Amino acid sequence: MKYTRRTFLQVTAGVSLSALVGCEKLPIELGLAPPVRMTPDLLVSPESIEKDEIAHVIDRLSFGARPGDYGRVRAMGIEAYIDEQLSPEGLDDAYCDWVTRRFTTLQLPIGELYEYREHLLLNDLTRATIAKAVYSDRQLYEVMVGFWSDHFNIDSSKGDCAWLKTADDRDVIRKHALGKFPELLRASALSPAMLWYLDGRENRKAAEDEQPNENYARELLELHTLGVYGGYTQRDVMEVARCLTGWTVRSHAVWKLGKVEFKPELHDDGPKSVLGHDIAAGRGAEDLDDVLDIVCRHPATAQHLATKLCRKFIADDPAAESIDAVATAFSESGGDIPATLRALFNTEEFRIRRGEKMKRPFRFIASALRATDAKSDVREELLEYLVRMGHAPFQCPTPDGYPEEPDRWMGSMMWRWHFAVGLAKNAIPGTKVDWGGLFGRPDGEPGFIADTLGRIPSADEARAYFDSGLGVALLLASPAFQRY
Amino acid sequence: MNARGYLTNTPSKTLVVVYLRGGADGLSMVVPMDDDAYYRARPTISVGRKDATALDGFFGLNPELAALHRAYADGALAIVHGAGSEDSTRSHFEAQDRMEHGGNAGGGWLGRYLAHSPNFVAGPLSVVAIGKAQPMCLWGAPASVAMESFEQFSVGDTPPGFISELTKLYAAENDTLASAARDALSAMEKVAALKADSYRPANGAVYPAEKFGTGLRQIAQLIKAGVGLEVATVDLDGWDSHFASGTLMNPLMRRLSEGLSAFYADMGKAMATTTVVVMTEFGRRVYQNASFGTDHGRGSVMFVLGGGVSGGRVYSDWVPLDSDRLEGPGDVPVTHNFRNVLVPILQRHSTLADFKPVFPDFELEPLPLYG
């Protein structure tokens, strides 16, 4: 632990944590005017017995519909909604900024992050991540932030990642989530958190008998770019590792902790050969650019990313034609992420395979908070649900990130129901739903139910809603709400 | 895809991890009766040869642990002496961190083990931490629930129609989700039926009526109820015996041995598929201090109970306590890294072949605990 003035302040603050939480609540309770959010259209809600295209596209581009989203997208048109979400910088997000303004550590430069106790940083980052998933109007952007956080997974409990993940989230994932893949990859390769997490900082060749640390090189090929069946060999892994020797992170210095540096004396400067491309001797730090360029252009990378994106947005078993279309867009656009996603959203399969995906616990929680327009300051009691369901952000220990496959999440049913009951009864500390206001919309409770399901309820669902004695909890706990 | 409900895939084995927090003194628990240096180093706080229960001619059990002798004599209890981690800071925080983290990697060792184990199925009661919170060793587990009582395992208070309507909605479906829901409903029903006051342990076992004993009883109840319990953790805190070590340790040792022996008796034959491993962050200094206690040391003991372990013996590469091979200021050296004790156990419980991701940066030499 580092003892500094700020640590002292943080420790002192920790003593009166309950008082602090009380203060955080004040603005909402006192009604100090928050910025106005995007105007919902509460006059129209889904009318069909099956999910229509509007409800489906909202489901997939967001963490779930808020009341009024359906009406808004129906009025503006699906294509305009997709355009809007692919260009998030055009969307005003003042309300979300207002909600997350209290998470002050998110903006700190790397050096200052080290002055904090690590659990405070993880706490801010986790709470902000959930708050943004729920409250940001840049929903597709947040969905992609989640996608890349899994793709370039970093467990904050490894070494200095506890301090550095905050910067990785900001300077790597969020900076490039809807940007260009090559830039995202380069930022990740030189992220101090990633250099810690996959031991890149230990990868050196200072003496003749020193062997490179292959950890990052392997995951770069296997997870981040080509994919496990992407056609690389063990020799490629070793050659990539050689190319990346010498990149380190300052960890014991008294100043500029966390700074990434290239040390020529730790670099293997001999000639290398990566995936059939020769890299001349003596290129030093430029080896890294050469390697990233080679892997970004490799067709297996396009195929691997297209497959993952199709599984994320279409179904667990997307058709080969869809994957090919997305991979082509990726290659032709030089890894432009919005262009790649647009091709995906334009596949026929994307539009017709509705309600087939199972929500992972994070999405379940976020979608329930969105559907009920809950006000939450995202306290410990809310995070606890994600821990129990094994889906707390930034705590996945394996470099492949939390799995997309539904099997992994099947043990979470009881806690989903527990959450649904708690939310319905307003029993989750720090999280409140204004049920009166929610049902007071022009089309009343039926409108709320249809917005929540993305369709009108079946006869069985309608009967269960009323016979259960706790309809809203039943709705959120029902099979339909576990899928999207 | 076949439904992989955890109830239809009840684990064949259960692992119970007991953590003695505070640095439990191995030399007081399992006494090196035949090492005179032990008696010279601890003139007032040693356990007399006549008082200890002889184990193998060299070691003896502290009288407060005498209840454990039954399992030892049955061959179901193995003791590892000189166990610990490579952490030499002698700091509780650092040493617990090192041991529970299990190396420079994300998550805790149990969490990583479960995440990598091919035969692990994450159900609502696959992994249970008895206590308020998940211990660090479970960080990164695919699923885990921390609970102090069975009442906490439910969806909360609901109107009478709620569960039945929920059951009906899921009954109408027939995919993986529906079978997972049916498993969860059935687990809730089973746990609801586990009332502490109506539980009668088998074979006349009596659990001590305190937190640790109650935790072990709850674990036994869950195993017997067949709810898919694969890993459970329970802590016994307060071993930091700097001062008057006997006064401090005796009641703890009694709780440990009475709790474990009740569990052993209660589980009966099922002990063959249940392993209990007991660990602590470090042992204590060989020589006693001026306040009749001992300070932070290095090697301590680990206990491995059940699960087919080749027990009835103490695994030890004993370093005589007057030897110059003692560590630092005079501490029992760690001759058995905790990982080498855990890995053979985990190998019995899982089909996982490669333990490198579980314990990175460490040359594993699993202790042959299974003969």
Side-chain angles (χ1 to χ4, degrees):
Chain A
M1 203 197 309
K2 278 88 186 164
Y3 288 98
T4 62
R5 182 182 56 86
R6 201 187 296 268
T7 308
F8 174 73
L9 293 176
Q10 291 296 320
V11 174
T12 320
V15 176
S16 54
L17 187 67
S18 53
L20 193 75
V21 171
C23 289
E24 287 184 349
K25 259 172 59 185
L26 280 179
I28 293 175
E29 301 300 318
L30 287 178
L32 295 179
V36 180
R37 301 182 70 179
M38 215 179 263
T39 321
D41 185 342
L42 293 167
L43 296 170
V44 197
S45 55
E47 291 154 355
S48 55
I49 189 89
E50 299 286 345
K51 232 174 231 184
D52 65 19
E53 194 175 349
I54 300 167
H56 167 68
V57 171
I58 296 171
D59 261 357
R60 294 294 167 88
L61 266 64
S62 73
F63 277 107
R66 283 182 65 214
D69 274 356
Y70 179 87
R72 189 177 75 86
V73 175
R74 193 157 108 170
M76 76 192 290
I78 290 174
E79 308 313 318
Y81 172 64
I82 291 175
D83 288 346
E84 166 199 285
Q85 290 296 316
L86 282 171
S87 310
E89 62 284 354
L91 283 167
D92 177 72
D93 215 15
Y95 181 81
C96 181
D97 295 343
W98 180 80
V99 172
T100 55
R101 74 199 179 287
R102 61 173 70 101
F103 306 119
T104 49
T105 59
L106 299 186
Q107 298 312 324
L108 294 174
I110 285 174
E112 285 186 36
L113 289 172
Y114 274 95
E115 296 181 17
Y116 280 78
R117 289 186 16 178
E118 55 269 47
H119 73 272
L120 289 166
L121 298 177
L122 177 62
N123 198 34
D124 264 13
L125 184 58
T126 306
R127 293 174 68 189
T129 300
I130 298 169
K132 288 172 186 173
V134 175
Y135 296 113
S136 176
D137 287 327
R138 301 168 177 175
Q139 280 286 297
L140 176 61
Y141 173 74
E142 292 301 327
V143 169
M144 287 307 291
V145 164
F147 176 82
W148 295 122
S149 297
D150 276 330
H151 188 79
F152 293 106
N153 180 62
I154 289 173
D155 181 341
S156 64
S157 72
K158 178 168 176 177
D160 279 13
C161 298
W163 289 279
L164 297 169
K165 178 57 202 178
T166 295
D168 181 88
D169 183 72
R170 177 187 64 211
D171 304 336
V172 178
I173 306 292
R174 289 185 173 274
K175 184 168 180 193
H176 301 286
L178 280 178
K180 298 247 180 210
F181 181 77
E183 289 171 23
L184 170 62
L185 184 69
R186 189 171 197 284
S188 169
L190 293 179
S191 165
M194 186 57 86
L195 283 158
W196 261 95
Y197 181 59
L198 292 178
D199 306 319
R201 70 188 185 96
E202 308 262 15
N203 181 20
R204 66 182 68 192
K205 176 114 184 157
E208 225 13 74
D209 57 346
E210 212 164 12
Q211 290 302 316
N213 183 318
E214 290 174 15
N215 197 6
Y216 176 74
R218 179 175 306 282
E219 305 306 11
L220 172 71
L221 298 179
E222 177 183 329
L223 300 175
H224 299 170
T225 59
L226 277 69
V228 68
Y229 304 115
Y232 59 89
T233 63
Q234 170 59 24
R235 192 180 137 72
D236 288 318
V237 172
M238 293 163 77
E239 290 290 280
V240 169
R242 286 182 62 214
C243 290
L244 303 182
T245 44
W247 288 96
T248 64
V249 186
R250 277 205 202 185
S251 59
H252 301 295
V254 283
W255 73 302
K256 292 211 170 164
L257 266 176
K259 183 180 161 58
V260 174
E261 297 169 309
F262 178 73
K263 301 213 160 154
E265 69 275 21
L266 302 180
H267 182 69
D268 180 341
D269 231 358
K272 295 121 187 158
S273 169
V274 171
L275 295 161
H277 300 262
D278 288 331
I279 296 176
R283 286 178 55 75
E286 285 174 33
D287 281 1
L288 177 132
D289 300 288
D290 294 346
V291 164
L292 297 185
D293 195 49
I294 292 166
V295 295
C296 279
R297 288 171 191 275
H298 198 286
T301 297
Q303 197 70 20
H304 179 219
L305 285 166
T307 305
K308 281 190 79 171
L309 286 168
C310 288
R311 285 190 180 143
K312 180 89 187 168
F313 285 97
I314 297 177
D316 297 327
D317 57 343
E321 304 87 78
S322 306
I323 296 172
D324 288 343
V326 176
T328 303
F330 179 89
S331 296
E332 287 180 352
S333 66
D336 185 77
I337 298 163
T340 307
L341 286 174
R342 188 179 291 283
L344 193 160
F345 300 150
N346 282 338
T347 62
E348 192 195 353
E349 198 186 14
F350 169 73
R351 305 285 172 125
I352 59 173
R353 292 190 75 172
R354 301 175 193 168
E356 282 187 39
K357 283 193 58 79
M358 170 146 166
K359 291 177 183 173
R360 300 194 298 176
F362 183 93
R363 173 179 285 270
F364 166 74
I365 300 272
S367 64
L369 294 173
R370 284 179 62 77
T372 56
D373 228 347
K375 298 266 181 295
S376 178
D377 54 20
V378 197
R379 272 185 225 177
E380 195 58 38
E381 287 85 349
L382 189 69
L383 302 185
E384 194 58 39
Y385 281 103
L386 289 171
V387 173
R388 286 171 173 165
M389 295 190 280
H391 201 198
F394 320 115
Q395 293 184 38
C396 175
T398 50
D400 50 349
Y402 286 121
E404 188 64 27
E405 294 76 15
D407 275 24
R408 162 68 183 270
W409 310 108
M410 289 301 170
S412 60
M413 299 309 296
M414 193 195 81
W415 296 113
R416 293 174 189 236
W417 302 337
H418 194 286
F419 177 81
V421 169
L423 191 65
K425 291 170 34 176
N426 267 332
I428 302 169
T431 300
K432 280 261 171 309
V433 177
D434 171 13
W435 294 110
L438 216 48
F439 297 155
R441 54 192 275 177
D443 52 359
E445 208 166 335
F448 162 76
I449 296 173
D451 261 356
T452 299
L453 289 177
R455 57 170 170 75
I456 57 172
S458 68
D460 281 348
E461 284 167 335
R463 187 191 39 70
Y465 184 89
F466 293 106
D467 291 353
S468 68
L470 201 57
V472 179
L474 189 91
L475 188 66
L476 301 177
S478 71
F481 196 74
Q482 312 315 311
R483 304 193 185 102
Y484 70 111
Chain B
M1 180 173 50
N2 283 325
R4 296 204 316 164
Y6 66 94
L7 285 179
T8 49
N9 195 355
T10 298
S12 49
K13 294 190 175 71
T14 306
L15 173 64
V16 182
V17 178
V18 175
Y19 207 102
L20 310 180
R21 287 185 200 278
D25 181 24
L27 293 173
S28 291
M29 293 198 286
V30 180
V31 181
M33 295 160 63
D34 235 23
D35 189 340
D36 288 337
Y38 163 74
Y39 291 99
R40 287 198 299 275
R42 297 186 170 191
T44 49
I45 63 161
S46 55
V47 178
R49 289 190 175 93
K50 286 199 299 282
D51 301 323
T53 310
L55 291 171
D56 61 355
F58 185 85
F59 293 105
L61 271 182
N62 188 297
E64 300 292 350
L65 294 177
L68 287 178
H69 191 261
R70 171 68 192 279
Y72 186 88
D74 290 349
L77 174 67
I79 298 170
V80 183
H81 223 308
S85 81
E86 64 282 15
D87 181 88
S88 59
T89 60
R90 296 173 176 76
S91 137
H92 294 295
F93 176 78
E94 292 290 327
Q96 284 187 29
D97 190 284
R98 174 65 60 96
M99 197 172 263
E100 293 204 80
H101 231 61
N104 183 24
W109 65 268
L110 254 180
R112 287 194 302 274
Y113 158 72
L114 291 167
H116 286 283
S117 181
N119 52 316
F120 176 69
V121 179
L125 283 165
S126 306
V127 183
V128 173
I130 301 288
K132 272 199 179 61
Q134 188 195 36
M136 204 191 302
C137 65
L138 272 177
W139 284 7
S144 72
V145 45
M147 62 171 152
E148 293 172 290
S149 73
F150 291 141
E151 285 68 43
Q152 290 171 351
F153 189 83
S154 76
V155 299
D157 289 332
T158 48
F162 184 80
I163 294 291
S164 59
E165 290 305 323
L166 193 64
T167 308
K168 273 191 241 167
L169 280 186
Y170 280 95
E173 317 252 333
N174 58 3
D175 61 358
T176 323
L177 180 68
S179 90
R182 282 193 287 274
D183 283 349
L185 288 163
S186 146
M188 283 156 55
E189 220 170 280
K190 286 183 180 185
V191 172
L194 301 178
K195 294 255 166 43
D197 48 8
S198 65
Y199 180 63
R200 309 240 329 245
N203 308 313
V206 181
Y207 288 94
E210 44 74 49
K211 229 170 79 184
F212 178 67
T214 306
L216 284 174
R217 191 203 73 218
Q218 289 166 331
I219 292 169
Q221 285 184 271
L222 289 172
I223 294 172
K224 290 184 184 186
V227 294
L229 184 68
E230 193 152 336
V231 166
T233 66
V234 58
D235 287 356
L236 181 53
D237 299 345
W239 295 85
D240 199 12
S241 53
H242 288 279
F243 180 83
S245 62
T247 320
L248 189 134
M249 282 185 70
N250 287 349
L252 287 175
M253 285 191 282
R254 211 173 308 137
R255 276 192 247 164
L256 177 67
S257 69
E258 286 174 1
L260 288 178
S261 46
F263 183 82
Y264 176 69
D266 185 16
M267 293 302 292
K269 285 207 174 74
M271 207 62 225
T273 51
T274 307
T275 307
V276 183
V277 60
V278 182
M279 56 205 288
T280 186
E281 66 262 33
F282 48 60
R284 322 287 305 183
R285 187 80 23 93
V286 172
Y287 56 80
Q288 69 186 53
N289 63 24
S291 39
F292 308 109
T294 50
D295 295 309
H296 298 181
R298 297 282 287 113
S300 185
V301 293
M302 285 175 78
F303 297 95
V304 183
L305 175 65
V309 73
S310 303
R313 55 176 287 201
V314 182
Y315 294 77
S316 154
D317 299 323
W318 193 247
V319 173
L321 299 183
D322 54 1
S323 138
D324 56 8
R325 285 168 56 212
L326 289 190
E327 243 193 81
D331 296 337
V332 178
V334 173
T335 45
H336 294 293
N337 189 283
F338 73 102
R339 298 172 182 84
N340 291 330
V341 181
L342 294 176
V343 165
I345 299 170
L346 299 179
Q347 282 170 335
R348 293 278 288 192
H349 285 250
S350 166
T351 55
L352 182 63
D354 180 12
F355 279 83
K356 271 205 196 80
V358 181
F359 294 117
D361 310 320
F362 186 82
E363 199 67 40
L364 287 169
E365 293 174 57
L367 190 63
L369 280 175
Y370 295 91

